[in-house]
Amino acid sequence: VVMAAARNVMRAVRVFEFGGPEVLKLQSDVLVPVPKENQVLIKVHACGVNPVETYIRSGTYARKPALPYTPGSDVAGVIESVGEHVTAFKKGDRVFTLETLSGGYAEYAVAAASRVFPLPDQLDFRQGAAIGVPYFTAYRALFQKGCAKAGESVLVHGASGGVGLAACQIARARGLKVLGTAGTEEGMNVILRNGAHHAFNHRDPNYTERIKACTGPGGVDIIIEMLSNVNLDADLQLLSCAGRVMVVGCRGRIEINPRDTMSKESSIIGVSLFLATEEERRECATAVLDGIEAGWLKPVVGSEYPLERVAKAHEDIICSSGARGKMVLLL
């Protein structure tokens, strides 16, 4: 009986109050969730860490989960069991998720079967945990909201992180001219290896002039912006006529002059994967799975942390001096 009881609990990170990284508590006696109908239980091998998870944890984000909760949405692992009516997956299948119902920073996670996708053998679990949120967000920003077309130019601002590298790979595969920024030499090399035609160091005081020299008087058609509270004002100066800034990330306020949008009839468009319709999510999934099959979708894994160091991961994703791929927790 003791053995059976022991198997029904797992290690999972729990948040009992909103606050800094220190509110992430690793517990070893959390009940393993049970999949209901149209749900699956996944044995988690790796889980992606996304900036939005730090905003939710701090209590400053628009959406607040009921406490206590386990963070984490994009996991990769193996199907442990399936609920009623699930026919697409069986025990032992390798999968990745777009979101989970029970939280991904855990040894097991329950997800809706519609948010789970097969993980091909050519990608490992670390890479699987780097697909969901970054690639779906990048695709949504570029095509569903940004209406990107082959032949247009895109500037990915903060291109060396998870969403940034996804945007570079997708945009390059779809025939766009890709420019990217990073904060380190290493970051610039990573983005050049992952689809960018040109890389710029956003710590260089003259980097916007270099971008203008590269794009010519026409400017850039689309900007994928990870840090709009720092860059939005400068972004508006870089756009082409009818250009658009896609706001993917923001950590505070910024002052802009709306007249800058009038002179070029440019747009500032917010992007939230959370608001995607079922149909839009299916479109993203099709594009992502096609990219894996075609071979151009290759997630770049950056820093890796064991579950015990989850607080450090949350600290680093906000404070580190330059990303190089998607941050993941390993189980």
Side-chain angles (χ1 to χ4, degrees), residues 97-124:
T97 68
L98 177 59
E99 57 188 54
T100 67
L101 296 164
S102 59
Y105 296 9
E107 290 178 324
Y108 292 90
V110 160
S114 62
R115 303 285 191 274
V116 178
F117 308 96
L119 179 65
D121 290 339
Q122 67 260 37
L123 299 178
D124 62 30

Short mmCIF file of all heavy atoms in Angstrom, two decimals, residues 97-124:
data_model
loop_
_atom_site.label_atom_id
_atom_site.label_comp_id
_atom_site.label_asym_id
_atom_site.label_seq_id
_atom_site.Cartn_x
_atom_site.Cartn_y
_atom_site.Cartn_z
N THR A 97 3.64 20.12 -25.77
CA THR A 97 2.37 20.81 -25.54
C THR A 97 2.50 22.31 -25.81
O THR A 97 3.60 22.87 -25.76
CB THR A 97 1.89 20.67 -24.08
OG1 THR A 97 2.78 21.40 -23.23
CG2 THR A 97 1.84 19.24 -23.64
N LEU A 98 1.35 22.91 -26.04
CA LEU A 98 1.26 24.37 -26.14
C LEU A 98 0.90 24.94 -24.77
O LEU A 98 1.30 26.03 -24.40
CB LEU A 98 0.19 24.75 -27.17
CG LEU A 98 -0.10 26.23 -27.35
CD1 LEU A 98 1.16 26.98 -27.78
CD2 LEU A 98 -1.21 26.43 -28.36
N GLU A 99 0.09 24.19 -24.02
CA GLU A 99 -0.25 24.61 -22.66
C GLU A 99 -0.63 23.37 -21.86
O GLU A 99 -0.87 22.30 -22.43
CB GLU A 99 -1.39 25.63 -22.65
CG GLU A 99 -2.65 25.16 -23.32
CD GLU A 99 -3.70 26.27 -23.46
OE1 GLU A 99 -3.38 27.33 -24.02
OE2 GLU A 99 -4.83 26.05 -23.02
N THR A 100 -0.65 23.53 -20.54
CA THR A 100 -1.07 22.43 -19.67
C THR A 100 -2.19 22.94 -18.78
O THR A 100 -2.36 24.14 -18.61
CB THR A 100 0.08 21.93 -18.76
OG1 THR A 100 0.40 22.96 -17.83
CG2 THR A 100 1.31 21.55 -19.57
N LEU A 101 -2.93 21.99 -18.20
CA LEU A 101 -4.01 22.36 -17.27
C LEU A 101 -3.52 22.35 -15.83
O LEU A 101 -3.97 23.14 -15.01
CB LEU A 101 -5.18 21.38 -17.44
CG LEU A 101 -5.84 21.43 -18.83
CD1 LEU A 101 -6.69 20.19 -19.06
CD2 LEU A 101 -6.67 22.70 -18.96
N SER A 102 -2.56 21.47 -15.55
CA SER A 102 -2.11 21.31 -14.15
C SER A 102 -0.80 22.03 -13.86
O SER A 102 -0.40 22.16 -12.71
CB SER A 102 -1.96 19.82 -13.83
OG SER A 102 -1.01 19.23 -14.72
N GLY A 103 -0.10 22.52 -14.92
CA GLY A 103 1.19 23.20 -14.72
C GLY A 103 2.34 22.31 -15.13
O GLY A 103 2.38 21.11 -14.81
N GLY A 104 3.30 22.89 -15.83
CA GLY A 104 4.38 22.12 -16.43
C GLY A 104 5.63 21.96 -15.58
O GLY A 104 6.47 21.10 -15.87
N TYR A 105 5.81 22.80 -14.54
CA TYR A 105 7.01 22.69 -13.70
C TYR A 105 6.78 21.53 -12.72
O TYR A 105 6.71 21.72 -11.51
CB TYR A 105 7.24 23.96 -12.88
CG TYR A 105 7.55 25.25 -13.62
CD1 TYR A 105 7.45 25.36 -15.01
CD2 TYR A 105 7.94 26.38 -12.90
CE1 TYR A 105 7.72 26.56 -15.65
CE2 TYR A 105 8.21 27.58 -13.54
CZ TYR A 105 8.11 27.67 -14.92
OH TYR A 105 8.36 28.87 -15.54
N ALA A 106 6.65 20.33 -13.25
CA ALA A 106 6.28 19.17 -12.43
C ALA A 106 6.69 17.89 -13.15
O ALA A 106 6.95 17.90 -14.35
CB ALA A 106 4.77 19.16 -12.19
N GLU A 107 6.72 16.79 -12.39
CA GLU A 107 7.12 15.51 -12.99
C GLU A 107 6.04 14.95 -13.92
O GLU A 107 6.35 14.22 -14.86
CB GLU A 107 7.45 14.50 -11.89
CG GLU A 107 8.74 14.86 -11.18
CD GLU A 107 9.08 13.91 -10.04
OE1 GLU A 107 8.16 13.44 -9.34
OE2 GLU A 107 10.28 13.64 -9.85
N TYR A 108 4.79 15.31 -13.65
CA TYR A 108 3.67 14.90 -14.51
C TYR A 108 2.78 16.11 -14.75
O TYR A 108 2.62 16.96 -13.87
CB TYR A 108 2.84 13.79 -13.86
CG TYR A 108 3.57 12.48 -13.75
CD1 TYR A 108 4.32 12.18 -12.61
CD2 TYR A 108 3.52 11.53 -14.78
CE1 TYR A 108 5.01 10.98 -12.50
CE2 TYR A 108 4.21 10.33 -14.68
CZ TYR A 108 4.96 10.06 -13.53
OH TYR A 108 5.64 8.88 -13.44
N ALA A 109 2.18 16.18 -15.93
CA ALA A 109 1.26 17.28 -16.23
C ALA A 109 0.09 16.77 -17.05
O ALA A 109 0.26 15.91 -17.93
CB ALA A 109 1.99 18.38 -17.00
N VAL A 110 -1.09 17.32 -16.76
CA VAL A 110 -2.28 17.01 -17.55
C VAL A 110 -2.48 18.14 -18.56
O VAL A 110 -2.31 19.32 -18.24
CB VAL A 110 -3.52 16.88 -16.64
CG1 VAL A 110 -4.81 17.06 -17.44
CG2 VAL A 110 -3.55 15.52 -15.97
N ALA A 111 -2.82 17.76 -19.80
CA ALA A 111 -3.10 18.75 -20.85
C ALA A 111 -4.31 18.29 -21.65
O ALA A 111 -4.59 17.09 -21.75
CB ALA A 111 -1.89 18.90 -21.77
N ALA A 112 -5.01 19.26 -22.21
CA ALA A 112 -6.09 18.93 -23.15
C ALA A 112 -5.45 18.30 -24.38
O ALA A 112 -4.43 18.79 -24.88
CB ALA A 112 -6.85 20.19 -23.54
N ALA A 113 -6.04 17.22 -24.88
CA ALA A 113 -5.46 16.52 -26.03
C ALA A 113 -5.31 17.45 -27.24
O ALA A 113 -4.39 17.30 -28.05
CB ALA A 113 -6.33 15.32 -26.39
N SER A 114 -6.18 18.48 -27.34
CA SER A 114 -6.12 19.41 -28.47
C SER A 114 -4.92 20.35 -28.39
O SER A 114 -4.62 21.06 -29.35
CB SER A 114 -7.41 20.24 -28.53
OG SER A 114 -7.54 21.01 -27.34
N ARG A 115 -4.25 20.39 -27.24
CA ARG A 115 -3.08 21.26 -27.06
C ARG A 115 -1.78 20.45 -27.04
O ARG A 115 -0.74 20.93 -26.63
CB ARG A 115 -3.18 22.05 -25.75
CG ARG A 115 -4.42 22.90 -25.62
CD ARG A 115 -4.35 24.15 -26.49
NE ARG A 115 -5.43 25.06 -26.16
CZ ARG A 115 -6.66 25.01 -26.67
NH1 ARG A 115 -6.95 24.08 -27.57
NH2 ARG A 115 -7.58 25.88 -26.31
N VAL A 116 -1.89 19.19 -27.47
CA VAL A 116 -0.75 18.27 -27.44
C VAL A 116 -0.44 17.84 -28.87
O VAL A 116 -1.35 17.62 -29.67
CB VAL A 116 -1.06 17.04 -26.56
CG1 VAL A 116 0.09 16.05 -26.57
CG2 VAL A 116 -1.37 17.49 -25.13
N PHE A 117 0.86 17.74 -29.20
CA PHE A 117 1.28 17.43 -30.56
C PHE A 117 2.38 16.39 -30.54
O PHE A 117 3.18 16.34 -29.60
CB PHE A 117 1.78 18.72 -31.25
CG PHE A 117 0.79 19.84 -31.16
CD1 PHE A 117 0.89 20.79 -30.17
CD2 PHE A 117 -0.29 19.90 -32.05
CE1 PHE A 117 -0.06 21.81 -30.05
CE2 PHE A 117 -1.23 20.92 -31.95
CZ PHE A 117 -1.12 21.87 -30.94
N PRO A 118 2.46 15.57 -31.60
CA PRO A 118 3.52 14.54 -31.64
C PRO A 118 4.90 15.19 -31.75
O PRO A 118 5.08 16.16 -32.49
CB PRO A 118 3.18 13.74 -32.89
CG PRO A 118 2.27 14.60 -33.71
CD PRO A 118 1.57 15.52 -32.76
N LEU A 119 5.86 14.66 -30.99
CA LEU A 119 7.24 15.16 -31.06
C LEU A 119 8.05 14.18 -31.91
O LEU A 119 8.29 13.04 -31.50
CB LEU A 119 7.84 15.26 -29.65
CG LEU A 119 9.29 15.74 -29.58
CD1 LEU A 119 9.41 17.18 -30.06
CD2 LEU A 119 9.84 15.62 -28.16
N PRO A 120 8.47 14.61 -33.10
CA PRO A 120 9.21 13.70 -33.99
C PRO A 120 10.55 13.29 -33.38
O PRO A 120 11.13 14.01 -32.56
CB PRO A 120 9.43 14.54 -35.25
CG PRO A 120 8.46 15.66 -35.16
CD PRO A 120 8.26 15.93 -33.71
N ASP A 121 11.03 12.14 -33.80
CA ASP A 121 12.26 11.58 -33.24
C ASP A 121 13.49 12.46 -33.44
O ASP A 121 14.44 12.39 -32.68
CB ASP A 121 12.54 10.19 -33.85
CG ASP A 121 11.53 9.16 -33.36
OD1 ASP A 121 10.91 9.40 -32.30
OD2 ASP A 121 11.33 8.14 -34.03
N GLN A 122 13.46 13.31 -34.50
CA GLN A 122 14.68 14.10 -34.75
C GLN A 122 14.87 15.23 -33.74
O GLN A 122 15.92 15.86 -33.70
CB GLN A 122 14.70 14.66 -36.19
CG GLN A 122 13.65 15.71 -36.50
CD GLN A 122 12.47 15.12 -37.25
OE1 GLN A 122 12.07 13.99 -36.98
NE2 GLN A 122 11.91 15.87 -38.19
N LEU A 123 13.86 15.49 -32.91
CA LEU A 123 14.00 16.52 -31.86
C LEU A 123 14.02 15.85 -30.49
O LEU A 123 13.22 14.94 -30.22
CB LEU A 123 12.84 17.52 -31.93
CG LEU A 123 12.69 18.31 -33.24
CD1 LEU A 123 11.48 19.23 -33.17
CD2 LEU A 123 13.95 19.12 -33.54
N ASP A 124 14.93 16.30 -29.62
CA ASP A 124 14.96 15.74 -28.26
C ASP A 124 13.95 16.47 -27.37
O ASP A 124 13.32 17.45 -27.80
CB ASP A 124 16.38 15.75 -27.68
CG ASP A 124 16.96 17.15 -27.52
OD1 ASP A 124 16.19 18.11 -27.30
OD2 ASP A 124 18.21 17.28 -27.59
#
